Amino acid sequence: MDSAGEASHPVQVLGVLGGGQLGRMLVHAAQLLGLRTVVLDPDLSSPAGLVSHEHLLAPYDDAAALARMAQLCDVITTEFENVPAHALATLAAHCPVSPSAAAVSVCQHRAREKAHFVASGVPCAPFKPIEAEADLVAVPPELFPGMLKTSTLGYDGKGQALVDDAAALAAAWRAMNGVACIFEQRVDLRGELSVIVARDASGHSVHLPVQQNLHRGGILAVTQVPAADIPAAAAEQAVSHALAVAESLAYVGVLCVEFFLLSDGSVLANEMAPRPHNSGHYSIDACDISQFDLQVRATAGWPLVTPRQHSPAVMLNLLGDLWFRSGGALPTSPPWEEVLRIPGAHLHLYGKPDARRGRKMGHLTITAADAPTARGRALQAAQILGLPAF
């Protein structure tokens, strides 16, 4: 692939920065297409490292490891947004890297991310950056109540605090050690959705169907596709906004944009992830081309075609809490055999050696001939596992 993203020789080796479950599923997709894979991750038991052809065991900014990766790989991508952007820039001097360091840098920082939404004409909740004591007193009263979020390293509900007034805001910010944050107005939330876009170096974009999401404790719990409770007009708005964001970033790869659905039927951009996303896992079993296939294609410079969803689906996130549902101190495997008796049940466990509360251990996708059947069977699985109904 040359600097414009055109393949100058056949891509044979795909590199992945990051060794988590997203990397594992990405590696599997690449291997099905006949590619060799190299993963760079500092964890010896990383899910992706365990299944890759080669695992470079080193920090993401290790100069020798980056040089070795550039030597081994034809193209390189990343599986999570907290890989140092400068590591991507270092690699890009030697081989094609997507998404770019510049795009990832925007997604890594909530204030930059929100500013980019605004600059792209994509609506988001009113917000104000908080970086110093003076910013606290400058917050307009109409932003309360709101959510204080760290600008970096916050995900799955981490680094967030709901506050009702100026005094609570100041206390919450100091409790976060005064790091850079954004304060975002709380919106009248009716639901949540996400759009996964894939864009290639020539600017061609495709997208998966709109996903309807349910979060618990800030962590995605359930995704349903088709998104039965999302009005068609709202879904169209979200797709249009997600495509606009990808275009404005000159993005190459898979990008997920999450949205709030408001009570009036409009949508606001919440955040974006420069990688495959938890809400797109259903696509492995319910679509002819998964989000991971799209990431491989976009990275390798291969053709992008619009995915076709062949089966309605419900995806349940499986957290480590399930291994402790009996209340014991030691983890106990959930009743997978009972779950797998359900028609259309597709169990994906990520190979993580230790179950911990709040840790993403796997996901379960239920597919069926129609959406009501998929939902009913997913509710049956949830009951077996001791998960709340939805």
Side-chain angles (χ1 to χ4, degrees):
M1 188 184 292
D2 62 22
S3 59
E6 298 293 332
S8 56
H9 62 84
V11 171
Q12 297 177 324
V13 184
L14 173 75
V16 182
L17 266 75
Q21 64 266 15
L22 298 174
R24 183 185 182 95
M25 289 179 273
L26 181 60
V27 163
H28 283 322
Q31 291 171 346
L32 285 172
L33 289 166
L35 298 180
R36 290 186 60 81
T37 56
V38 178
V39 166
L40 173 59
D41 189 274
D43 182 0
L44 180 63
S45 60
S46 70
L50 291 173
V51 300
S52 183
H53 292 96
E54 186 157 351
H55 179 189
L56 302 178
L57 190 65
Y60 301 122
D61 56 358
D62 182 273
L66 291 173
R68 178 62 176 159
M69 192 173 203
Q71 180 184 41
L72 290 172
C73 300
D74 296 314
V75 291
I76 295 173
T77 188
T78 180
E79 63 105 37
F80 81 124
E81 60 265 47
N82 289 326
V83 166
H86 64 80
L88 296 173
T90 297
L91 289 166
H94 304 282
C95 68
V97 175
S98 59
S100 69
V104 171
S105 178
V106 171
C107 300
Q108 285 177 338
H109 194 279
R110 281 196 170 102
R112 288 198 292 266
E113 181 180 66
K114 296 288 187 185
H116 190 84
F117 286 151
V118 173
S120 303
V122 174
C124 59
F127 71 98
K128 180 170 177 55
I130 304 292
E131 297 183 353
E133 290 276 352
D135 296 325
L136 295 171
V137 297
V139 173
E142 59 268 21
L143 287 190
F144 293 99
M147 185 75 74
L148 182 68
K149 303 177 180 180
T150 58
S151 286
T152 60
L153 302 179
Y155 62 96
D156 288 343
K158 298 178 177 68
Q160 300 185 16
L162 179 63
V163 296
D164 292 328
D165 53 39
L169 172 61
W173 183 69
R174 290 168 189 140
M176 293 178 181
N177 298 314
V179 299
C181 294
I182 64 163
F183 182 61
E184 181 181 275
Q185 185 182 60
R186 192 175 185 183
V187 297
D188 186 10
L189 187 63
R190 172 176 160 187
E192 297 176 86
L193 60 149
S194 58
V195 178
I196 290 174
V197 172
R199 185 179 183 274
D200 64 22
S202 68
H204 174 59
S205 296
V206 299
H207 63 87
L208 284 166
V210 172
Q211 293 120 196
Q212 178 178 321
N213 301 325
L214 170 66
H215 289 77
R216 296 189 182 110
I219 302 176
L220 182 68
V222 182
T223 292
Q224 300 181 72
V225 189
D229 298 328
I230 306 299
E236 290 172 7
Q237 284 181 41
V239 169
S240 176
H241 292 329
L243 291 171
V245 170
E247 181 69 22
S248 63
L249 286 169
Y251 196 85
V252 177
V254 166
L255 175 74
C256 178
V257 186
E258 296 182 80
F259 296 91
F260 295 136
L261 173 65
L262 305 189
S263 57
D264 64 2
S266 63
V267 295
L268 296 178
N270 175 25
E271 58 188 19
M272 56 184 168
R275 51 168 172 77
H277 191 260
N278 202 161
S279 64
H281 290 349
Y282 76 95
S283 62
I284 297 172
D285 302 301
C287 298
D288 58 355
I289 298 175
S290 77
Q291 64 171 342
F292 301 100
D293 298 325
L294 291 172
Q295 179 77 345
V296 173
R297 288 182 180 220
T299 302
W302 295 344
L304 295 179
V305 297
T306 300
R308 176 181 63 87
Q309 185 179 1
H310 52 70
S311 303
V314 178
M315 190 278 300
L316 306 179
N317 231 0
L318 305 175
L319 304 183
D321 306 64
L322 292 177
W323 277 251
F324 297 92
R325 69 177 194 155
S326 62
L330 297 176
T332 302
S333 182
W336 302 131
E337 289 187 16
E338 192 174 351
V339 169
L340 289 172
R341 289 192 182 96
I342 299 172
H346 308 268
L347 179 63
H348 299 259
L349 297 177
Y350 302 147
K352 296 182 179 179
D354 302 312
R356 297 196 299 268
R357 296 182 187 277
R359 189 183 199 191
K360 294 177 180 177
M361 300 297 293
H363 70 270
L364 177 71
T365 300
I366 304 292
T367 58
D370 56 74
T373 301
R375 177 181 169 85
R377 291 175 178 170
L379 286 167
Q380 180 186 351
Q383 184 176 34
I384 292 169
L385 293 170
L387 295 170
F390 52 88

